[in-house]
Amino acid sequence: MASKRSLPEEDFTCPVCFDIFKDPVVLLCSHSFCKDCLQKFWREKKSKECPVCRRQSSMDNPPLNLSLRNLCESFLKEKSQRASGGSEVLCSLHGERLKLFCLEDKQPVCLVCQASRKHSGHQFLPIDEAALDSKEQLNAVLKPLQEKLKEFERIKKTCDQTASHIKVQAHQSEKQIKEEFEKLHQFLKDEEKARIRGLKEEEEQKSLIMKEKIEEMSKEMSTLSDTITAIEKQMVAEDIIFLQVWTCGFSSVGNSTCTLQKPQRVARALIDVAKHLGNLRFRVWEKMKDIVQFTPVLLDPNTADSSLIISEDLTSFKEANPRQTLPDNPERFNVFGCVVGSKGFNSGSHYWDVEVGHSTRWCVGVTTESNQRKMDTISWERVWGVEYGQCSIGPVHKLKQKLHTLRVHLDLDKRQLSFSDPLQNTHLHTFKHTFTEKVLPFFFSLVSPLSILPLKPSVTTGHRRLC
């Protein structure tokens, strides 16, 4: 034992975990490691090489190093004794070493205790065997706790990813909101300039008309004023002179003056304020339909499989190559190529058009909100739709003809789901089904993108519809 005590602790230390060997195994290169440490090292490296000298090993399960294990156990025992002052634990009644464990009383006893009346008829085990049995029982309790800890670690990792993704989503959404409002602001600025320009043009046009009218009237007033002055002068002249002038033709001036037309007011000379200000906000809002679009169904990016990239306006998706790293939130599909709409339906009539384009494998329809999303394959029995390219099973209707656009009409009040080709105006298929829970628009495609087409917006005033 003296030789064992003279060995340093480093000789009993695993070069991988740097702890005392536990179930040491030895490789052909003579290096030893804990069995679990070596297997973990090989799994991470994906290569069976020695962690010390990097020599490849031909053995999947290297043999146990029994001599080293015994030495380690002796070393740990001596170390424990040294830590406790080197004294053994003795029986408090008989002063003997505690070598046995009483299974009835659940306590260690000495050989004298075993022969005493107190333990008559009891069953005993050696201390090391009893400790081993207890450790096995404790290990049975420990393993579920370890598995639960691993599950907590996995969920925490998902939560960490989700927290990071929330910041990314918030940043991207804020950027898009600003861009969209900037477009609206620019539209309003342009519309303001156009309407002010129209007002200025009318002001200039009508001001010019009034200027010309005023100049014309000023000339007529000047001529008329001169005529009046001349007549007034003749009126105060001597009679003989007045008559001479009158007979010389001045009377014709008076007759012509009497035939002058009365000055006319200019109709509609003022600014058409009603045209510029009447229902101004409504007219601007009405005109905005030329720059905005409405899509009846939007995709929910939080449900998209990581193989899909959702467009910024949430109306289309395409393949992601390579796959994205996204949080494994409960709503997300892990089924390749699947995504659902952001809004579900419980009642009413709804329709949307989908451009399937050149996709050779796709499925479009609806699915129940509770449909399984964390499986290798989706439960197609809970998908009602049409597909092309033999990509599904169950109630999904298979199409033989290739389409460009598919129209989906969900009428929950009539308990039916219809599909048609809006370009050819042909009916494709109708499901008669009573949905007992909320349904979501469902989309699946491989390789080629799918797009949900916008509807032409309209403005309705009373019984009048402005398209």
Side-chain angles (χ1 to χ4, degrees):
M1 295 297 291
S3 61
K4 293 178 184 176
R5 294 191 188 97
S6 64
L7 293 174
E9 184 171 343
E10 290 77 11
D11 292 340
F12 303 97
T13 302
C14 172
V16 175
C17 66
F18 301 104
D19 203 349
I20 303 299
F21 285 107
K22 183 178 181 182
D23 296 328
V25 295
V26 60
L27 299 178
L28 293 178
C29 59
S30 300
H31 292 116
S32 296
F33 310 90
C34 296
K35 181 179 179 180
D36 291 341
C37 292
L38 181 62
Q39 293 297 332
K40 181 179 179 182
F41 180 85
W42 282 356
R43 284 196 302 271
E44 292 177 352
K45 285 289 185 180
K46 297 181 180 179
S47 174
K48 295 186 178 73
E49 62 182 29
C50 174
V52 175
C53 66
R54 304 300 179 183
R55 179 179 175 181
Q56 292 292 326
S57 173
S58 60
M59 297 182 293
D60 293 335
N61 296 298
L64 290 173
N65 192 337
L66 298 178
S67 299
L68 180 58
R69 186 179 69 175
N70 294 335
L71 287 172
C72 289
E73 290 177 353
S74 299
F75 176 82
L76 290 173
K77 185 176 181 180
E78 290 181 12
K79 184 176 180 181
S80 176
Q81 289 179 351
R82 288 196 298 270
S84 61
S87 59
E88 295 180 341
V89 180
L90 302 179
C91 177
S92 60
L93 296 176
H94 309 103
E96 298 289 333
R97 288 183 60 189
L98 300 174
K99 294 183 177 182
L100 301 173
F101 185 80
C102 179
L103 298 179
E104 278 74 11
D105 294 333
K106 305 296 182 184
Q107 65 178 18
V109 296
C110 67
L111 294 177
V112 179
C113 291
Q114 181 188 22
S116 66
R117 293 178 180 177
K118 180 180 178 181
H119 296 281
S120 177
H122 291 185
Q123 291 184 336
F124 301 89
L125 283 177
I127 287 292
D128 55 348
E129 292 184 13
L132 182 61
D133 290 346
S134 297
K135 288 179 180 179
E136 289 178 352
Q137 294 175 8
L138 187 60
N139 192 50
V141 176
L142 180 62
K143 283 186 177 180
L145 296 177
Q146 291 173 333
E147 291 298 324
K148 185 172 290 186
L149 177 60
K150 289 181 181 179
E151 181 67 14
F152 272 103
E153 291 173 347
R154 187 183 68 81
I155 298 299
K156 182 181 179 298
K157 182 179 179 181
T158 300
C159 291
D160 291 339
Q161 291 178 336
T162 302
S164 300
H165 195 64
I166 288 172
K167 293 185 178 296
V168 173
Q169 284 183 311
H171 175 73
Q172 292 177 342
S173 299
E174 180 181 353
K175 179 183 176 182
Q176 288 179 234
I177 289 172
K178 289 182 177 179
E179 290 175 353
E180 291 299 319
F181 271 93
E182 182 58 35
K183 292 177 183 177
L184 294 175
H185 293 160
Q186 189 59 48
F187 167 81
L188 292 175
K189 289 178 182 178
D190 294 341
E191 188 67 16
E192 178 187 7
K193 290 179 181 179
R195 291 183 178 273
I196 291 178
R197 184 168 58 250
L199 175 62
K200 292 296 184 183
E201 289 175 355
E202 184 178 357
E203 178 191 10
E204 292 175 2
Q205 179 184 5
K206 292 192 172 180
S207 295
L208 179 61
I209 292 174
M210 292 307 300
K211 180 180 178 182
E212 293 175 350
K213 182 67 176 177
I214 291 171
E215 290 177 353
E216 178 185 349
M217 293 186 66
S218 296
K219 290 180 182 179
E220 292 180 354
M221 289 173 62
S222 178
T223 301
L224 189 58
S225 179
D226 291 341
T227 301
I228 292 173
T229 301
I231 293 175
E232 287 177 345
K233 287 182 180 181
Q234 294 302 322
M235 290 286 290
V236 297
E238 295 181 1
D239 293 343
I240 189 62
I241 296 175
F242 171 76
L243 291 174
Q244 289 177 343
V245 173
W246 178 261
T247 57
C248 289
F250 198 86
S251 60
S252 61
V253 174
N255 293 332
S256 62
T257 302
C258 294
T259 61
L260 287 175
Q261 295 182 354
K262 293 182 179 181
Q264 299 294 322
R265 294 186 178 90
V266 180
R268 299 186 181 279
L270 297 177
I271 296 292
D272 190 352
V273 176
K275 182 183 74 174
H276 298 287
L277 298 182
N279 292 320
L280 178 59
R281 296 180 186 178
F282 176 81
R283 296 303 175 191
V284 174
W285 174 55
E286 178 188 9
K287 192 173 181 180
M288 286 182 70
K289 67 184 178 63
D290 296 329
I291 67 165
V292 300
Q293 67 179 30
F294 171 76
T295 306
V297 168
L298 297 175
L299 301 174
D300 185 353
N302 296 334
T303 67
D305 169 51
S306 59
S307 66
L308 300 179
I309 296 178
I310 308 299
S311 63
E312 289 186 349
D313 61 0
L314 309 180
T315 63
S316 64
F317 62 86
K318 61 182 180 180
E319 181 186 16
N321 191 12
R323 293 175 71 98
Q324 305 171 91
T325 301
L326 298 172
D328 186 23
N329 49 298
E331 304 84 8
R332 190 177 306 282
F333 284 97
N334 63 0
V335 183
F336 190 80
C338 291
V339 63
V340 293
S342 62
K343 181 181 178 181
F345 305 110
N346 281 320
S347 62
S349 178
H350 316 272
Y351 79 92
W352 56 96
D353 292 345
V354 182
E355 184 179 294
V356 295
H358 301 289
S359 179
T360 56
R361 293 187 66 187
W362 55 265
C363 177
V364 174
V366 300
T367 186
T368 54
E369 188 176 35
S370 61
N371 195 355
Q372 176 60 252
R373 304 182 188 185
K374 300 298 182 185
M375 299 174 65
D376 293 336
T377 179
I378 189 172
S379 176
W380 291 104
E381 288 74 15
R382 303 180 71 182
V383 175
W384 293 262
V386 294
E387 62 92 7
Y388 180 80
Q390 297 182 351
C391 52
S392 61
I393 57 176
V396 177
H397 178 72
K398 296 173 175 57
L399 296 177
K400 295 181 179 180
Q401 70 271 36
K402 191 174 179 64
L403 299 179
H404 179 272
T405 303
L406 174 71
R407 174 161 294 174
V408 184
H409 184 194
L410 173 65
D411 194 330
L412 292 167
D413 298 333
K414 294 183 178 180
R415 300 179 180 87
Q416 66 181 23
L417 173 66
S418 300
F419 299 89
S420 61
D421 182 346
L423 301 182
Q424 302 296 327
N425 195 26
T426 57
H427 174 262
L428 299 174
H429 187 74
T430 295
F431 290 97
K432 293 286 187 178
H433 185 79
T434 301
F435 295 99
T436 57
E437 63 174 295
K438 182 183 291 186
V439 292
L440 298 167
F442 174 80
F443 307 89
F444 165 83
S445 178
L446 294 179
V447 183
S448 299
L450 295 185
S451 300
I452 306 169
L453 300 179
L455 299 178
K456 184 178 180 181
S458 62
V459 180
T460 302
T461 56
H463 298 291
R464 181 187 173 204
R465 184 176 181 182
L466 306 175
C467 296

